């Protein structure tokens, strides 16, 4: 996916509807290397339910990719996910 700046701003705004800490979850995924749901939970202190909601939104928007090794799912941020995390630094 290749979002415009306006689309990224709207997605950024919509992430608040998922959870106020959604971008914190995305930052943890960015900072980890192929991080698992359990690792995200430990880093953010959020429940599995909240993390699953955030991850579903991120995957749906193309902000992260899912990697499955047969027993565990890992997550990696995409270029679009990086853009979302940088959108506030650039200004709206």
């Amino acid at each position: 996916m290749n979002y415009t700046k306006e689309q990224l701003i709207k997605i950024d705004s919509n992430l608040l509807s998922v959870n106020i800490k959604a971008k914190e979850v995305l930052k943890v995924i960015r900072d980890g290397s192929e991080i698992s749901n359990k690792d995200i939970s430990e880093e953010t202190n959020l429940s599995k339910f909240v993390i699953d909601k955030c991850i579903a939104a991120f995957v749906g928007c193309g902000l992260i990719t899912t990697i499955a090794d047969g027993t565990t799912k890992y997550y990696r941020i995409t270029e679009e996910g990086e853009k979302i995390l940088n959108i506030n630094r650039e200004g709206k």
Side-chain angles (χ1 to χ4, degrees):
M1 296 182 192
N2 200 8
Y3 292 115
T4 65
K5 186 172 182 175
E6 291 77 22
Q7 290 171 318
L8 289 171
I9 291 169
K10 185 65 174 171
I11 291 169
D12 184 48
S13 173
N14 288 341
L15 287 177
L16 289 175
S17 299
V18 176
N19 188 281
I20 196 154
K21 291 189 171 187
K23 284 184 80 170
E24 184 179 326
V25 173
L26 192 57
K27 287 177 188 175
V28 168
I29 293 170
R30 176 196 61 197
D31 295 343
S33 175
E34 295 181 356
I35 193 163
S36 72
N37 197 309
K38 180 182 175 199
D39 298 330
I40 297 167
S41 180
E42 290 172 0
E43 291 284 327
T44 61
N45 211 19
L46 294 171
S47 71
K48 182 182 180 323
F49 176 77
V50 171
I51 292 168
D52 286 346
K53 283 178 46 177
C54 292
I55 287 172
F58 297 154
V59 169
C61 293
L63 304 181
I64 64 170
T65 58
T66 303
I67 303 146
D69 72 359
T71 57
T72 306
K73 286 185 183 177
Y74 297 95
Y75 307 100
R76 186 180 302 146
I77 195 165
T78 64
E79 184 178 333
E80 295 301 319
E82 286 285 351
K83 288 179 186 177
I84 282 286
L85 290 176
N86 293 321
I87 198 81
N88 287 338
R89 287 186 224 143
E90 296 171 3
K92 290 186 178 184

